[in-house]
Amino acid sequence: MDREILVTRSSMPDLDEYVNEIRTLWDTHRLTNMGPKHREFQDKLRDYLEVENIELFTNGHMAIELTLQALNLQGEVITTPFTFASTTHAIIRNCLRPVFCDIDPFNYTLDVEQLESLVTDKTCAILPVHVYGNVCNIEEIERIAKKHELKVIYDACHAFGETYNNRGIGQYGDVSCFSFHATKVFNSIEGGAATYRDKHIGEILYDLKNFGIHGKEEVSAVGANAKMNEFCAAMGLCNLRHIDEEIAKRKKVADRYREHLEGVDGLQLNVTQSGVKSNYAYYPVVFEEKEFGATREEVFDRLAEEGILARKYFYPLTNAFSAFHGEFDVTKTPVALHISKRVLTLPLYSDLALEDVDRICELILECGTR
Ligand SMILES: *Cc1c(COP(=O)(O)O)cnc(C)c1O
C-alpha cells in the first residue's frame, strides 16, 4: 500500500463550517475563560449526553484528576490496569493508592467477581473504565459501592454518546469523565468533560479548573488550569453536528470486520452488550496463538509492513509501567496480563474504506494460515 492507515483518523468538519463558527471570536476577542462558545458547547453536550450536570475541561485527564481532588478522597482506589496511562496517573497524582482489580476476559472491564474482595477499610472509591466503550457491570459496581459507602468515578473516555438501558452513560456513578481528544470518537481537538450527580461537586470542579478562584477576591482551593478555550469549544460544536453520522459510518466498518473475522479459530472479537447503544470506538481483537496460528506480534508486524498501523491497546498494563518501579505485582491481574499480551486494536474510523477493511482482514487471515 502506498499510503499509511493509522489506527484512527480525527474527524473534522468542513473548513468553512469551522471558520464560520470561530468568526465571532474576532469580534469579541474572547478567546477563553468560559466564554460564549464554552457555554453553548456545554449546553449542547448536556442534551446530547442526556445528563443533568456537566463541566468542561481542557482534556479528559484533567477531568479525572480534578474529579478525584473535588471528591476529597483519601486512601485506596480500586481500578483496572487495562487502560490508558491517564486513569492510573490521575489516582497517583492525587496521592491516592491504586489497588488493581483484574478484568473480565470477554468485555475487559473490571471483574466484579473479584472487586469486593479488594475492599479494605482504606478504600474510598472505585474507578472503573468503560474500556473500548464496553459498559462495566454497573449494577454490581453500584451495589458494592453502596454497601461499603464508596464513591464511583467512571472513566468514560471511550464511551462518548453511549446509552445503557436507554439512559446516557454519564448518568451512572457519582461522576463520569469523557475525553474529546483528537483520536477519540468525538473530538474538540483536545477536550474533556465530567458529568455528575451532585450539583455541589460541579461548583468545586468549576473552581478547580480555574486555579481555585472563587469570586473576585477569593481563592478557596489549590486548583489547576484546565479551562477549555473557545477554539476547542467551537470545534466541538461543529463535530457534534455530525456525530451521529460518524458513529453510523463506524458501525459499517465494525460490521465489515466482523463479517470477515467472526468464527475464526483463535480470534476473540469484542462483545456486543445487550442494553447498550454502542459508539464503535475501537475494534479490539485478541489473538490466541495456538488456535489461530500466529501471535499478536506477528500480525502487528505483518500489518506494519503494509503500512497499516494497528495499536497494542492496552499494552503494557499500567501496573507494569517503569514509572512505578515494580511497585505493583502484575501477576495479581492475570487475565489483564493475558489479554494485554494478545490484543490488537485494528484501524477504525468513519472514513476508513470498506475495501481497506477487506485487505486488512485478508492480511490478518493469511498470518494465521502461514
Ligand atoms: C484518552 C483517555 C483518557 C485521557 O483523555 P485525554 O483527553 O487524552 O486527556 C483517559 N482515559 C482513557 C481510558 C482514555 O482513553
Side-chain angles (χ1 to χ4, degrees):
M1 258 181 217
D2 49 0
R3 67 204 154 77
E4 284 198 326
I5 297 179
L6 305 183
V7 74
T8 185
R9 189 165 183 267
S10 302
S11 297
M12 295 172 81
D14 283 343
L15 180 58
D16 288 347
E17 186 180 348
Y18 186 64
V19 169
N20 207 36
E21 195 66 52
I22 60 174
R23 202 173 294 281
T24 53
L25 303 180
W26 265 257
D27 303 328
T28 61
H29 285 237
R30 185 100 197 249
L31 306 184
T32 186
N33 285 11
M34 285 66 95
K37 296 288 171 200
H38 183 287
R39 283 198 296 273
E40 187 185 348
F41 185 35
Q42 192 157 280
D43 289 342
K44 297 238 157 93
L45 276 175
R46 189 184 292 115
D47 287 347
Y48 187 81
L49 294 175
E50 301 176 14
V51 293
E52 259 180 52
N53 304 301
I54 182 165
E55 199 60 55
L56 298 181
F57 292 90
T58 39
N59 55 56
H61 178 79
M62 289 311 288
I64 306 172
E65 191 170 313
L66 295 180
T67 292
L68 296 179
Q69 186 181 349
L71 293 171
N72 198 16
L73 301 172
Q74 262 140 35
E76 298 174 350
V77 177
I78 302 176
T79 189
T80 168
F82 191 70
T83 182
F84 185 55
S86 169
T87 324
T88 304
H89 285 358
I91 295 170
I92 293 179
R93 289 171 59 83
N94 271 284
C95 299
L96 294 159
R97 185 167 175 80
V99 171
F100 292 102
C101 179
D102 212 348
I103 60 170
D104 179 278
F106 301 107
N107 67 36
Y108 320 123
T109 69
L110 273 196
D111 177 8
V112 290
E113 301 286 316
Q114 186 185 50
L115 178 57
E116 196 164 10
S117 71
L118 298 174
V119 175
T120 70
D121 54 6
K122 296 200 191 75
T123 310
C124 58
I126 308 172
L127 176 28
V129 180
H130 300 304
V131 69
Y132 305 132
N134 293 342
V135 173
C136 298
N137 189 330
I138 287 175
E139 289 79 11
E140 268 300 286
I141 290 169
E142 309 276 288
R143 183 190 68 76
I144 293 164
K146 199 165 179 193
K147 180 169 158 198
H148 299 278
E149 294 180 30
L150 307 173
K151 299 284 184 201
V152 179
I153 304 102
Y154 284 107
D155 179 334
C157 287
H158 294 180
F160 184 87
E162 295 195 323
T163 62
Y164 177 58
N165 290 344
N166 297 314
R167 288 170 60 190
I169 194 72
Q171 290 187 30
Y172 297 95
D174 292 282
V175 184
S176 292
C177 298
F178 294 87
S179 166
F180 315 144
H181 185 258
T183 56
K184 304 279 154 94
V185 167
F186 169 77
N187 84 80
S188 62
I189 308 173
E190 293 243 18
T195 62
Y196 50 92
R197 198 177 287 160
D198 176 1
K199 282 208 184 335
H200 179 59
I201 296 293
E203 289 161 23
I204 303 172
L205 285 174
Y206 185 89
D207 288 352
L208 286 180
K209 75 175 176 185
N210 188 26
F211 304 104
I213 296 173
H214 187 83
K216 283 222 167 11
E217 297 184 356
E218 194 193 349
V219 178
S220 58
V222 187
N225 179 2
K227 308 182 296 288
M228 180 182 286
N229 69 58
E230 294 289 277
F231 289 81
C232 288
M235 186 69 154
L237 283 167
C238 293
N239 279 336
L240 196 58
R241 290 186 195 114
H242 308 286
I243 183 67
D244 288 337
E245 202 184 313
E246 292 282 306
I247 291 175
K249 284 172 151 180
R250 281 176 170 272
K251 178 179 188 318
K252 288 206 172 119
V253 174
D255 287 348
R256 189 75 153 226
Y257 273 124
R258 189 170 287 277
E259 274 173 40
H260 287 294
L261 302 179
E262 187 151 51
V264 175
D265 277 350
L267 297 191
Q268 178 173 304
L269 306 188
N270 203 17
V271 286
T272 34
Q273 298 177 294
S274 66
V276 175
K277 188 180 99 195
S278 173
N279 63 5
Y280 307 93
Y282 296 88
Y283 207 87
V285 176
V286 174
F287 294 86
E288 294 291 349
E289 182 189 357
K290 274 205 202 90
E291 294 80 24
F292 179 61
T295 62
R296 184 266 303 267
E297 307 301 331
E298 286 164 346
V299 176
F300 177 86
D301 291 342
R302 180 71 192 100
L303 292 176
E305 277 171 21
E306 299 291 322
I308 300 159
L309 302 180
R311 290 296 296 265
K312 299 170 195 175
Y313 285 145
F314 287 96
Y315 175 83
L317 296 177
T318 68
N319 54 3
F321 285 175
S322 63
F324 306 136
H325 308 287
E327 198 176 329
F328 306 108
D329 182 358
V330 294
T331 63
K332 285 188 176 161
T333 52
V335 177
L337 192 59
H338 181 97
I339 300 295
S340 80
K341 286 178 177 166
R342 288 167 181 79
V343 71
L344 207 54
T345 56
L346 303 179
L348 173 55
Y349 45 87
S350 61
D351 293 329
L352 181 61
L354 296 180
E355 298 76 60
D356 286 334
V357 177
D358 296 344
R359 168 132 175 81
I360 292 166
C361 291
E362 199 179 308
L363 286 164
I364 292 171
L365 294 173
E366 276 169 22
C367 289
T369 53
R370 270 197 306 195

